[in-house]
């Protein structure tokens, strides 16, 4: 260490000597130069003074740059002349100073590693709990989505059932109105004929005939009013019936469908009668032999991509995707099938035709190999 200090002192002394050699010029000389410049500046005009000042500034700048370069060269010369022992001693001192720092920085690292090893099981347990909670939330959201989807599907089925019931009621009303109108027309025709016969028999004159005409018109007006009152009563009865029917459907939906109980859904509907095959009107086999091209409906595209045909029997339950409106047979008579009333619909399933309860998905009737 004494040798190192000795060499360091000699190097510093050499650097001081070099800097002294490159010292600033004598102050007296500099003062004389400034005085000469100021005296000449008083004599010279303004433009020349400006040029002289700029030239003096450039000279001072050049002198400063030259002094900097000389000092830099002196430092580099001192560094080159410095012995290698001083440099090695400094490197040793640096390593000695850095070793305690390394030890101090390594100690917290070991402590952190030990603390991390202790805390790792707790972190793993917390991570497992978070993942379990996330999985539970995902399952709850999925269950809510499925429940809302089932509710929407049930609402759609109910609305379809109500619309079909309204259509059937309107058709029945129109048929009943037409029949009532025909009966009323026939009665009025018979009355008019009887009146005309009586008039001819009794030989009424024109005046009596005019009175009879007025009486006939009054009778017609009274008959029209009675017919209107009867029609209004029929409409009120049908309206109440439809309202009761819709109320019953909503009550069944609240009590049965949302709780998963579907057995009571069809309590107020008629059971399907499979004896329709004994009726000669529905001879679909003979009709298919005579109209083979009519039973070629093209390829069947299942709602599931990987689904394959499986033979379905009566009493099976289909998924709701298999009796969508695109699989419905909207005109059963076109294939000589009996009309399906609520809640049943004829549905195509590959080359088979099924009669499905659209509320529960139960297969009520089946005809295999119906289509080509």
């Amino acid at each position: 260490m004494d040798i190192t200090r000795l060499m360091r002192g000699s190097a510093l002394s050499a650097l001081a000597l070099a800097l002294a050699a490159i010292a600033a010029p004598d102050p007296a000389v500099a003062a004389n130069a400034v005085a000469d410049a100021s005296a000449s500046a008083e004599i010279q005009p303004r433009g020349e003074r400006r040029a002289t000042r700029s030239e003096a500034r450039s000279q001072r700048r050049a002198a400063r740059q030259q002094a900097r370069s000389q000092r830099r060269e002196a430092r580099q010369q001192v560094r080159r002349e410095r012995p290698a022992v001083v440099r090695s001693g400094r490197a040793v001192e640096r390593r000695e100073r850095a070793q305690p720092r390394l030890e101090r920085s390594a100690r917290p690292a070991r402590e952190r590693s030990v603390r991390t090893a202790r805390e790792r099981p707790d972190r793993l347990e917390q991570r497992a709990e978070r993942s379990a909670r996330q999985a539970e939330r995902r399952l709850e959201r999925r269950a809510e989505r499925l429940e809302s989807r089932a509710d929407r599907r049930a609402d759609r089925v109910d609305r379809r059932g109500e619309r079909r019931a309204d259509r059937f009621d309107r058709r029945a009303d129109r048929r009943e109105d037409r029949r009532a109108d025909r009966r009323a027309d026939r009665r009025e025709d018979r009355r008019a004929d009887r009146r005309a016969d009586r008039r001819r028999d009794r030989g009424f004159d024109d005046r009596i005939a005019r009175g009879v005409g007025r009486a006939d018109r009054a009778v017609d007006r009274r008959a029209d009013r009675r017919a209107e009152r009867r029609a209004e009563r029929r409409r009120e009865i049908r309206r109440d019936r439809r309202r009761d029917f819709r109320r019953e459907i909503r009550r069944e939906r609240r009590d049965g469908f949302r709780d998963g109980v579907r057995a009571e859904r069809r309590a107020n509907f008629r059971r399907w009668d499979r004896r329709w095959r004994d009726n000669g009107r529905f001879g679909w086999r003979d009709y298919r032999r005579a109209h083979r091209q009519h039973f070629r409906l093209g390829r069947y595209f299942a709602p599931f991509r990987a689904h394959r045909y499986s033979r379905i029997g009566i009493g099976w339950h289909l998924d709701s995707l298999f009796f969508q409106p695109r699989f419905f047979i909207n005109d059963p008579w076109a294939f000589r099938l009996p009309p399906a009333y609520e809640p049943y619909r004829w549905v195509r399933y590959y080359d088979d035709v099924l009669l499905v309860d659209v509320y529960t998905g139960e297969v009520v009737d089946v005809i295999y190999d119906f289509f080509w």
Side-chain angles (χ1 to χ4, degrees):
M1 296 299 293
D2 295 335
I3 295 172
T4 303
R5 290 175 182 174
L6 179 63
M7 296 302 294
R8 187 186 304 171
S10 62
L12 292 173
S13 61
L15 179 61
L17 290 173
L19 293 174
I22 315 169
D26 192 2
V29 177
N32 293 330
V34 171
D36 295 338
S38 61
S40 61
E42 292 177 357
I43 300 171
Q44 292 176 352
R46 183 179 296 177
E48 293 179 359
R49 284 201 301 271
R50 286 179 183 172
T52 304
R53 287 173 192 163
S54 63
E55 186 176 357
R57 280 197 298 271
S58 64
Q59 288 176 1
R60 286 196 298 272
R61 192 181 300 115
R64 284 196 298 271
Q65 290 178 357
Q66 186 176 5
R68 286 196 201 101
S69 63
Q70 289 175 0
R71 285 196 297 271
R72 192 181 300 114
E73 290 176 359
R75 289 194 203 97
Q76 291 177 359
Q77 186 175 2
V78 169
R79 288 195 191 98
R80 284 194 297 270
E81 292 176 357
R82 187 186 300 169
V85 177
V86 175
R87 290 196 296 273
S88 63
R90 286 190 176 182
V92 169
E93 286 183 359
R94 288 197 198 95
R95 283 197 297 273
E96 289 176 355
R97 284 198 303 270
Q99 187 171 4
R101 250 180 298 169
L102 291 173
E103 291 178 356
R104 286 196 302 272
S105 63
R107 191 181 303 116
R110 288 195 298 272
E111 293 177 357
R112 283 197 300 273
S113 63
V114 171
R115 192 166 53 251
T116 305
R118 291 174 182 172
E119 295 176 354
R120 185 172 298 168
D122 298 335
R123 290 178 187 168
L124 292 176
E125 186 176 357
Q126 293 175 0
R127 194 177 301 166
E129 291 178 356
R130 283 198 301 272
S131 62
R133 286 195 296 271
Q134 291 173 0
E136 289 178 359
R137 285 196 293 272
R138 284 197 295 272
L139 289 175
E140 290 176 358
R141 287 196 295 271
R142 189 176 301 169
E144 290 175 357
R145 285 198 299 272
L146 291 175
E147 186 177 357
S148 62
R149 194 178 301 166
D151 292 339
R152 289 196 299 273
R153 190 176 298 164
D155 292 336
R156 286 198 297 271
V157 171
D158 289 339
R159 286 195 294 272
R160 290 195 201 109
E162 291 177 0
R163 287 197 295 270
R164 291 196 195 96
D166 293 338
R167 285 200 297 271
F168 292 152
D169 290 338
R170 285 196 296 271
R171 290 174 189 167
D173 293 342
R174 287 196 295 270
R175 286 196 294 270
E176 190 172 352
D177 291 339
R178 286 196 294 270
R179 291 170 185 167
D181 293 338
R182 285 196 294 269
R183 286 195 296 270
D185 292 339
R186 285 196 294 269
R187 281 197 299 271
E188 293 300 327
D189 292 339
R190 287 196 294 270
R191 287 174 187 168
D193 293 339
R194 284 197 296 271
R195 289 194 206 100
D197 294 337
R198 284 197 298 270
R199 271 192 233 105
R200 280 195 304 269
D201 294 339
R202 295 174 184 175
F204 288 106
D205 55 0
D206 296 336
R207 194 167 17 173
I208 296 174
R210 283 194 299 271
V212 170
R214 285 194 296 272
D216 291 340
R217 284 192 295 273
V219 170
D220 293 339
R221 284 194 296 271
R222 285 195 297 273
D224 293 338
R225 284 195 294 270
R226 282 197 297 271
E228 290 177 0
R229 285 196 294 270
R230 284 196 297 271
E232 184 64 27
R233 283 197 296 273
R234 285 198 299 273
R235 281 193 293 271
E236 290 179 357
I237 291 170
R238 285 192 295 271
R239 196 179 302 117
D240 295 339
R241 191 182 305 148
R242 283 196 298 270
R243 192 182 302 113
D244 295 340
F245 180 72
R246 293 193 191 98
R247 191 180 297 114
E248 186 66 25
I249 287 177
R250 293 193 191 96
R251 189 182 300 114
E252 287 180 2
R253 179 178 176 274
R254 284 196 305 268
D255 297 341
F257 190 82
R258 287 182 177 175
D259 298 334
V261 181
R262 303 177 181 176
E264 298 296 330
R265 174 58 82 123
R266 301 182 302 165
N268 294 328
F269 297 110
R270 290 180 293 162
R271 291 293 299 176
W272 180 255
D273 189 4
R274 300 192 188 93
R275 292 176 298 177
W276 62 270
R277 291 179 173 81
D278 300 334
N279 193 341
R281 293 177 57 225
F282 308 115
W284 59 271
R285 289 187 178 84
D286 298 335
Y287 186 76
R288 187 176 64 177
R289 278 195 295 270
H291 304 83
R292 297 174 64 87
Q293 191 65 29
H294 185 57
F295 286 78
R296 287 189 175 89
L297 299 185
R299 185 179 176 184
Y300 179 85
F301 292 96
F304 301 106
R305 181 177 296 178
H307 187 267
R308 295 292 181 270
Y309 172 80
S310 59
R311 197 176 181 88
I312 293 178
I314 296 173
W316 289 36
H317 284 77
L318 281 178
D319 189 87
S320 60
L321 294 176
F322 285 97
F323 48 88
Q324 301 179 47
R326 66 190 181 100
F327 297 128
F328 286 170
I329 298 176
N330 295 318
D331 188 8
W333 178 248
F335 301 97
R336 295 305 183 267
L337 292 173
Y341 46 81
E342 283 294 327
Y344 306 114
R345 290 301 297 261
W346 287 106
V347 176
R348 182 190 177 191
Y349 177 76
Y350 290 92
D351 290 340
D352 302 340
V353 63
L354 313 175
L355 187 71
V356 182
D357 186 343
V358 294
Y359 289 163
T360 62
E362 182 184 358
V363 178
V364 179
D365 204 346
V366 182
I367 303 176
Y368 300 111
D369 299 329
F370 187 77
F371 300 106
W372 297 108

